[in-house]
Amino acid sequence: MRILITGGAGFMGANMIPYLLRTYKDIEIVNFDALTYAGNLESLAGVADDPRYRFVKGDIADARQVDAVMKGVDLVINYAAETHVDRSIIDARAFIETNVNGVYNLLEAVRQQGTPRFVHISTDEVFGAVLEGESDEESKFEPRSPYAASKAAGDHLCHAYAVTYGVPVIVTHSVNYYGPYQFPEKLIPLFTMNLLEGKKVPVYGDGLQVREWIFTEDHCRAIDLIVQKGLVGEVYNIGTGYRVPNLEITKKLIALTGRDDSAIEYVADRPGHDRRYALNSTKLRTQLGWEPQMSFDEGLGLTVEWYKAHRTWVDRCRTGEYKDYYQKQYGERLKTV
Ligand code: DAU
């Protein structure tokens, strides 16, 4: 089976590719990634020499490249996305290019080439702030940031292509994902690194915004199950029910890094900041039999240890120096469609 992983050099993809290669023998993985600021082939150094794995540099926003890389593919998992809310507030253009036009290109290629299965990774942010209760798969989309609006547009296209053309697409909505290899701009890796480096951590507003959290490996297992048993045309929420205010996570990170509360710096709130997300993931649990296995405290501890041990990876991400790293390590294998 040939699997096309788009955005495979990003955080989620770089966890999923090794997971698939160690779980299944008889697969071939093509990692198609534009290597933007958030894509880092160094995260995949452990599988780079696996004969079942191949990297192709390219952009889902380029229809010609997407058509070419889709040839002979049995399954697409679309992780390629612009994901950082703060960046979308500064400039949303890349979000529209990748999260809307890119998804359109993938759907068209899947439709025209008859690709058997397409799993599109999306987010709980499409449902907007949920002050009480939970969002289920039927909840109304009320995106409130340019990022969330671009993801909602991509999800609408998936739905439209399933209904209109019978394209075999499954959409997932995931909660906040954390673990090794996350670019150090998101809450957990940013705060971890700042604390380890003796800096302050910028808590937006009062820090009482609530997010729901899932560890990398639990998410990989959920996607795997959805690929195996999910029904085409369906939507699945992927959540753990573990919901916690940002300030509580900040305090856990302070304890794990041996700092104290003087490291907290309350800064101006994010414009339009969603107060709370909460996903109902009963469908995934009852219909497909998924359950999270990692407790938040254990996962957070593992994550902090990983960042402590991978300072060079973080430094290279920050400076963009890993671009030289992949040229040196992967130069011959860097192919563009
Ligand atoms: O909910 C799923 C989403 O989770 C994904 O779809 C997004 O791609 C991903 O970026 C993430 O969005 P968030 O905005 O929730 O993640 P972020 O790590 O940026 O922020 C988490 C919370 O922490 C949020 O309430 C904002 C707050 N925060 C974040 C940063 C970076 C701070 O207070 N200070 C910060 O410096």
Side-chain angles (χ1 to χ4, degrees), residues 83-86 122-125 147 174-177 185-188 190-191 202-204 209 211-213 246 270 273-274 277:
T83 66
H84 198 50
V85 175
D86 296 322
S122 189
T123 170
D124 57 3
E125 301 207 8
Y147 159 69
S174 304
V175 297
N176 284 59
Y177 189 84
E185 64 184 348
K186 306 278 201 247
L187 178 77
I188 289 180
L190 176 73
F191 281 21
V203 171
Y204 295 163
Q209 306 83 2
R211 295 290 182 269
E212 184 171 331
W213 296 89
N246 296 333
R270 174 185 277 172
H273 198 168
D274 284 338
Y277 300 132

Side-chain angles (χ1 to χ4, degrees), residues 187-188 191-192 195 201 203 206-208 242 244-266 296-297 300 304:
L187 178 77
I188 289 180
F191 281 21
T192 301
L195 290 165
V201 292
V203 171
D206 61 8
L208 298 180
Y242 184 83
V244 64
N246 296 333
L247 202 53
E248 207 173 308
I249 297 192
T250 306
K251 294 203 168 173
K252 285 179 191 285
L253 290 172
I254 284 174
L256 285 165
T257 53
R259 296 285 303 278
D260 62 47
D261 285 4
S262 66
I264 297 176
E265 184 175 14
Y266 291 95
F296 185 73
D297 284 347
L300 195 65
V304 170

Side-chain angles (χ1 to χ4, degrees), residues 24-201:
Y24 300 101
K25 277 206 172 66
D26 201 15
I27 54 170
E28 183 193 334
I29 292 183
V30 179
N31 173 11
F32 181 71
D33 195 294
L35 297 179
T36 64
Y37 79 95
N40 184 351
L41 286 178
E42 194 177 348
S43 309
L44 289 155
V47 298
D49 294 325
D50 191 315
R52 299 169 300 161
Y53 167 75
R54 189 160 62 91
F55 173 71
V56 177
K57 187 171 187 299
D59 190 344
I60 61 167
D62 183 323
R64 188 193 60 80
Q65 293 183 353
V66 170
D67 281 346
V69 81
M70 191 68 73
K71 300 266 179 320
V73 163
D74 302 298
L75 163 70
V76 189
I77 309 180
N78 179 34
Y79 286 104
E82 288 293 333
T83 66
H84 198 50
V85 175
D86 296 322
R87 285 180 189 258
S88 82
I89 293 168
I90 294 165
D91 183 356
R93 183 170 296 278
F95 291 74
I96 309 303
E97 279 303 314
T98 304
N99 302 353
V100 187
N101 293 336
V103 174
Y104 163 71
N105 290 336
L106 288 168
L107 287 163
E108 269 300 312
V110 166
R111 176 170 91 92
Q112 283 171 21
Q113 297 188 30
T115 310
R117 212 166 179 78
F118 176 25
V119 176
H120 174 65
I121 310 296
S122 189
T123 170
D124 57 3
E125 301 207 8
V126 297
F127 300 116
V130 184
L131 300 184
E132 280 177 6
E134 299 176 326
S135 317
D136 64 23
E137 286 81 357
E138 309 298 321
S139 295
K140 201 166 83 174
F141 282 13
E142 291 187 71
R144 288 161 33 90
S145 71
Y147 159 69
S150 69
K151 289 299 287 183
D155 296 4
H156 279 312
L157 281 172
C158 289
H159 180 67
Y161 268 65
V163 171
T164 309
Y165 305 112
V167 162
V169 57
I170 299 176
V171 174
T172 68
H173 296 129
S174 304
V175 297
N176 284 59
Y177 189 84
Y178 73 100
Y181 298 113
Q182 188 167 32
F183 191 84
E185 64 184 348
K186 306 278 201 247
L187 178 77
I188 289 180
L190 176 73
F191 281 21
T192 301
M193 292 314 302
N194 280 12
L195 290 165
L196 291 174
E197 291 167 350
K199 299 179 196 156
K200 293 198 177 238
V201 292

Side-chain angles (χ1 to χ4, degrees), residues 221-233:
R221 285 191 305 100
I223 298 298
D224 186 14
L225 206 56
I226 288 166
V227 164
Q228 305 297 332
K229 295 193 190 165
L231 300 177
V232 294

